[in-house]
Amino acid sequence: MKEVTIQVFDTTLRDGEQVPGCKLNTQQKLVIAEQLEIMGVDIIEAGFPISSPGDYKSVQEIGKLITRSTVCGLSRAVESDITAAAEALRTAKHPRIHTGLGTSESHIKYKFKSTQEKILDRAVAAVKFAKKYVEDIEFYAEDAGRTDNEYLARICEAVIKAGATVLNIPDTTGYCLPDEYGDKIRFLKENVKGIEKAVLSTHCHNDLGMATANTISGVRNGATQVECTINGIGERAGNTSLEEVVMVLKQHDNLGFDTNIKTELLYPMSQLVSEKMGVVVQPNKAIVGSNAFAHSSGIHQDGVIKRRDTYEIINPADVGVDHSRIVLTARSGRAALAFRARQIGFELTKDELDLMYQKFLLLADIKKEVEENDLLKLLSNKIKISAA
Ligand code: KIV
Ligand code: ZN
């Protein structure tokens, strides 16, 4: 089966960075942008140039630095925003302006106090205005997840005619169910005249924990660009996590999709973003969490030691993690103890293991985790434990 290469659009430096506490300065953004390009990200959303002089400068500097990836700047459907984005991107090798506005009933009625017709006209005017500056224009229909499909199709058709090259269909509030979001993408694919001239893009938020599922559903129904952030950071519960989407497509290669991402750089990238933003990655985060390849219960440890893929569907090396970890806790079994002992040079006989295991359990009941130095002392008989 011929694979479709899905374009990866990273918005860590825009949607991710707008989260309180995650703000980055230009230097930090440059370091991350450079690594995103090396990792194979196709489009880097570098910031929102009108929002502050600092962000304008960041977009400008990233545009100068990056040579292969497209560099994108966000704007509202407002001329001054679009002009600022265009100016900031003037020296970028592959510039893209991302412009748009809310299209759901709630946005039109309460945010804009407007009508569907007026919003459609504003969308078209914004795209035409942006088109004077750059060829590559992405239009976002904010809150598309809650926008009526017929109206969304009309807007998409109109902005394609005006010159939009990419249509971003954000589930801004993370409300959609995977089938619902996939159906929306399919509806646009089947009902928008001229859709073959544009790329359909997913942009999902994680309010109900479904951002990755919705994104995959979008791809399976015709989207060929995915918008994501490293570690899934972003407004409220976050955006779609880049590492999750990329690895879903890689692990399920029977679906017929691939990406340009060098997956072995995912873990170092996650660490870099975490360190620069000062936000820890939750231990149980899929793909990049510290426990993603750690095994602590006896049953699982025994299986993994016998054959890794009994409990691991991803080879840790594929995402840049050195190796899986067999963690010693009070739930660990003899196989794990023997394995860890062997790793530090102790080959135990069956009787030695039985004896050591009893001592180990007493220690493990006291400590959350038996670390390597504890194990070393235990094995060297330096720790005397007795049942109280
Ligand atoms: O979530 C959203 O709708 C957005 C748009 C500004 C693209 O981030
Ligand atoms: Zn968003």
Side-chain angles (χ1 to χ4, degrees):
M1 193 201 319
K2 193 177 166 304
E3 300 234 306
V4 175
T5 301
I6 300 299
Q7 298 289 292
V8 174
F9 176 118
D10 180 90
T11 183
T12 305
L13 300 179
R14 198 279 296 170
D15 220 345
E17 195 254 5
Q18 69 197 43
V19 171
C22 290
K23 199 194 153 308
L24 301 169
N25 61 35
T26 299
Q27 198 44 45
Q28 292 167 321
K29 278 193 160 195
L30 281 165
V31 172
I32 293 177
E34 191 174 23
Q35 291 309 312
L36 289 171
E37 178 169 57
I38 292 170
M39 192 173 74
V41 163
D42 302 283
I43 304 106
I44 299 172
E45 186 160 52
F48 185 8
I50 194 89
S51 66
S52 76
D55 219 32
Y56 180 96
K57 184 160 175 267
S58 298
V59 175
Q60 192 174 44
E61 295 300 321
I62 291 171
K64 285 183 198 158
L65 176 77
I66 298 300
T67 56
R68 189 198 61 78
S69 312
T70 293
V71 177
C72 177
L74 185 76
S75 67
R76 292 166 296 180
V78 171
E79 289 195 356
S80 53
D81 279 37
I82 297 169
T83 307
E87 278 168 6
L89 291 166
R90 205 167 43 80
T91 47
K93 193 131 193 255
H94 307 288
R96 176 181 294 180
I97 295 178
H98 192 187
T99 191
L101 75 179
T103 54
S104 65
E105 195 188 336
S106 124
H107 280 235
I108 295 177
K109 229 174 168 173
Y110 305 112
K111 195 166 97 176
F112 298 122
K113 302 189 183 4
S114 187
T115 63
Q116 285 194 339
E117 294 316 308
K118 285 187 185 152
I119 291 301
L120 191 143
D121 290 347
R122 260 186 79 179
V124 168
V127 171
K128 282 189 176 158
F129 187 73
K131 200 77 180 177
K132 289 188 196 156
Y133 296 103
V134 297
E135 177 48 35
D136 192 2
I137 308 294
E138 174 163 340
F139 173 78
Y140 65 85
E142 195 182 359
D143 205 14
R146 293 187 299 170
T147 299
D148 163 62
N149 285 351
E150 304 276 350
Y151 177 61
L152 191 58
R154 277 182 59 212
I155 291 229
C156 288
E157 206 164 300
V159 296
I160 291 173
K161 263 197 207 135
T165 45
V166 183
L167 302 174
N168 178 9
I169 310 301
D171 182 22
T172 306
T173 58
Y175 177 72
C176 286
L177 293 166
D179 286 350
E180 197 182 352
Y181 189 74
D183 288 349
K184 191 175 282 287
I185 298 289
R186 180 171 293 274
F187 182 86
L188 297 174
K189 188 105 191 133
E190 289 173 353
N191 292 284
V192 172
K193 260 193 236 117
I195 194 71
E196 65 290 347
K197 290 189 231 142
V199 165
L200 270 168
S201 181
T202 65
H203 179 115
C204 299
H205 280 264
N206 205 30
D207 300 66
L208 290 171
M210 292 191 292
T212 297
N214 285 348
T215 299
I216 297 298
S217 180
V219 167
R220 297 187 78 183
N221 283 282
T224 52
Q225 176 180 288
V226 289
E227 305 196 6
C228 329
T229 60
I230 303 298
N231 299 333
I233 57 154
E235 287 280 359
R236 309 179 306 281
N239 285 60
T240 305
S241 146
L242 183 147
E243 54 279 6
E244 291 175 14
V245 169
V246 166
M247 290 312 292
V248 171
L249 298 181
K250 185 176 165 82
Q251 297 308 109
H252 289 269
D253 55 356
N254 60 318
L255 295 179
F257 304 106
D258 66 4
T259 68
N260 293 319
I261 299 297
K262 297 182 178 75
T263 61
E264 65 281 8
L265 296 180
L266 287 171
Y267 181 69
M269 191 73 228
S270 158
Q271 293 288 294
L272 177 70
V273 169
S274 164
E275 182 229 312
K276 296 283 176 217
M277 289 191 167
V279 176
V280 283
V281 179
Q282 74 192 63
N284 58 327
K285 169 78 183 63
I287 320 293
V288 292
S290 56
N291 287 348
F293 298 99
H295 307 275
S296 63
S297 88
I299 298 171
H300 288 212
Q301 291 173 328
D302 184 45
V304 167
I305 290 167
K306 286 179 177 143
R307 197 182 144 106
R308 191 189 57 75
D309 63 11
T310 313
Y311 287 100
E312 274 183 5
I313 58 149
I314 298 171
N315 183 341
D318 285 353
V319 296
V321 173
D322 286 350
H323 49 74
S324 349
R325 287 187 307 124
I326 297 292
V327 182
L328 294 178
T329 73
R331 304 292 158 261
S332 300
R334 282 176 173 73
L337 181 61
F339 177 82
R340 288 284 304 271
R342 200 172 307 122
Q343 280 189 327
I344 54 172
F346 292 83
E347 196 65 57
L348 304 176
T349 63
K350 187 181 172 310
D351 288 348
E352 283 168 342
L353 181 60
D354 284 344
L355 183 72
M356 207 45 76
Y357 187 62
Q358 296 315 315
K359 291 187 179 183
F360 160 76
L361 284 180
L362 294 173
L363 181 62
D365 263 342
I366 302 167
K367 301 197 71 176
K368 270 194 197 304
E369 184 182 335
V370 175
E371 315 267 0
E372 188 160 309
N373 59 335
D374 301 320
L375 186 61
L376 198 58
K377 285 183 196 159
L378 195 66
L379 290 166
S380 314
N381 268 333
K382 288 195 179 133
I383 285 186
K384 298 261 179 290
I385 302 275
S386 55

